[in-house]
């Protein structure tokens, strides 16, 4: 008789009576399965504390990284410690370097000439300078002629502003700050009068509506009276009543 033992599916021939070796193998297998179950239970019980420990470790590592970055930033801003274990101040070092460079520039004529030509150097180093050189004069002239009307209109406006310059410098314009209080008071009066005007306009509209209603009623009443008189006068004149 053949039997299958374990997950591997090992076939073993079984005789009528079980051997001691077979009992020993079954015992070992049961102990191994019980240990496996115990390990699974231990893992399930310790999963939550291990996760909390991992989160705490991540937080500590994040704080340590932030501390290291702050120290690096302080070293770059304040400088590292010198020979006397004193912090080197960057501002003082930069002032000394600037003073030394200024003294060197004042003593050497070539450096002075170079300082005078810095603007030209910046102009030549500008990436758009090549485009400025590459554009021929004929094309520049075409650009100017294309904007001729606009340039003429702007020139006319500038000439008009120049002609009106004396008016801007007159005493009346200069006295505007002194008249600001009066203008504000007049503005307040104007606002009040505008509100009164709106109220009067509403009152006039109301009176016109009442007048129109009254005229409508009067015309209707006169029409009724006219009809009544015609009915009364019709038998006397021998006319049929319409």
């Amino acid at each position: 008789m053949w039997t299958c033992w374990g997950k591997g599916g090992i076939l073993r021939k079984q005789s009528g009576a079980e051997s001691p070796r077979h009992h020993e193998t079954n015992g070992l297998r049961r102990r191994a399965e019980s240990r496996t179950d115990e390990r699974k239970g231990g893992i399930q019980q310790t999963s939550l504390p291990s996760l909390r420990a991992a989160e705490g470790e991540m937080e500590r590592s994040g704080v340590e990284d932030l501390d290291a970055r702050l120290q690096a930033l302080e070293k770059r801003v304040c400088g590292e410690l010198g020979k006397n274990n004193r912090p080197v101040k960057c501002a003082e070092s930069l002032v000394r370097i600037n003073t030394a460079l200024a003294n060197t520039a004042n003593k050497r004529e070539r450096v002075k000439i170079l300082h005078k030509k810095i603007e030209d150097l910046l102009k030549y180093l500008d990436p758009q300078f090549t485009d400025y050189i590459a554009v021929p004069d004929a094309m520049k002239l075409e650009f100017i002629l294309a904007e001729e009307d606009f340039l003429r209109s702007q020139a006319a406006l500038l000439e008009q502003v120049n002609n009106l310059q004396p008016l801007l410098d007159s005493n009346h314009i200069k006295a505007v700050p002194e008249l600001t209080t009066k203008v504000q008071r007049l503005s307040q009066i104007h606002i009040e009068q505008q509100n009164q005007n709106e109220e009067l306009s509403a009152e006039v509209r109301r009176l016109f509506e009442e007048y129109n209603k009254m005229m409508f009623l009067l015309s209707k009443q006169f029409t009724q009276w006219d009809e009544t008189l015609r009915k009364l006068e019709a038998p006397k004149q021998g006319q049929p009543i319409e």
Side-chain angles (χ1 to χ4, degrees):
M1 182 178 181
W2 294 88
T3 57
C4 179
W5 296 101
K7 297 181 180 179
I10 301 174
L11 293 176
R12 294 182 181 273
K13 186 175 182 182
Q14 183 178 2
S15 59
E18 295 182 352
S19 62
R21 186 176 181 181
H22 175 69
H23 289 289
E24 184 179 357
T25 303
N26 291 336
L28 291 173
R29 187 178 293 107
R30 292 191 187 94
R31 285 195 295 271
E33 290 177 356
S34 63
R35 290 176 181 175
T36 304
D37 295 337
E38 290 176 359
R39 289 177 181 175
K40 289 182 179 179
I43 289 172
Q44 292 177 356
Q45 293 177 0
T46 57
S47 59
L48 185 59
S50 62
L51 289 174
R52 292 178 179 175
E55 292 178 357
E57 186 66 24
M58 290 176 65
E59 292 179 357
R60 285 193 296 274
S61 63
V63 172
E64 291 176 356
D65 293 339
L66 182 60
D67 191 10
R69 292 174 65 183
L70 288 175
Q71 289 180 1
L73 181 61
E74 290 177 355
K75 287 182 180 179
R76 291 184 179 181
V77 174
C78 301
E80 297 181 355
L81 296 176
K83 296 180 179 180
N84 298 327
N85 292 329
R86 293 180 180 178
V88 179
K89 295 182 179 180
C90 298
E92 295 180 357
S93 300
L94 292 174
V95 170
R96 288 197 299 270
I97 293 170
N98 187 21
T99 305
L101 290 174
N103 294 331
T104 304
N106 292 328
K107 293 178 181 178
R108 298 178 182 275
E109 293 295 331
R110 293 183 178 179
V111 177
K112 291 182 181 180
I113 296 171
L114 180 63
H115 279 296
K116 292 180 181 179
K117 294 184 177 181
I118 285 177
E119 295 181 359
D120 296 335
L121 290 173
L122 293 175
K123 182 177 69 174
Y124 297 148
L125 292 174
D126 190 359
Q128 297 180 356
F129 182 72
T130 55
D131 298 335
Y132 177 78
I133 297 175
V135 177
D137 294 339
M139 189 174 293
K140 295 178 183 178
L141 181 60
E142 291 180 0
F143 291 157
I144 295 172
L145 292 176
E147 299 292 335
E148 181 179 3
D149 296 336
F150 177 74
L151 293 175
R152 289 183 181 278
S153 63
Q154 295 298 317
L157 292 175
L158 291 174
E159 186 176 358
Q160 185 177 0
V161 171
N162 190 18
N163 295 331
L164 295 175
Q165 185 67 31
L167 297 177
L168 295 176
D169 296 336
S170 63
N171 294 327
H172 300 288
I173 300 298
K174 293 180 179 179
V176 168
E178 299 177 358
L179 300 175
T180 302
T181 305
K182 294 181 180 179
V183 172
Q184 290 178 354
R185 187 164 58 252
L186 290 175
S187 299
Q188 186 66 28
I189 294 172
H190 175 71
I191 292 171
E192 293 176 357
Q193 290 178 353
Q194 186 176 2
N195 295 332
Q196 293 176 1
N197 186 18
E198 292 178 355
E199 294 176 358
L200 290 175
S201 299
E203 183 67 18
V204 169
R205 283 196 298 270
R206 186 182 66 79
L207 293 176
F208 269 115
E209 290 177 357
E210 292 181 357
Y211 173 77
N212 292 329
K213 290 179 181 178
M214 185 178 295
M215 292 302 295
F216 175 75
L217 294 174
L218 287 174
S219 62
K220 188 175 181 180
Q221 186 67 36
F222 279 120
T223 304
Q224 291 178 356
W225 288 345
D226 184 61
E227 186 69 23
T228 304
L229 289 175
R230 288 177 61 187
K231 290 180 179 179
L232 293 174
E233 293 176 355
K236 295 179 181 180
Q237 296 178 359
Q239 297 179 354
I241 299 174
E242 295 181 357

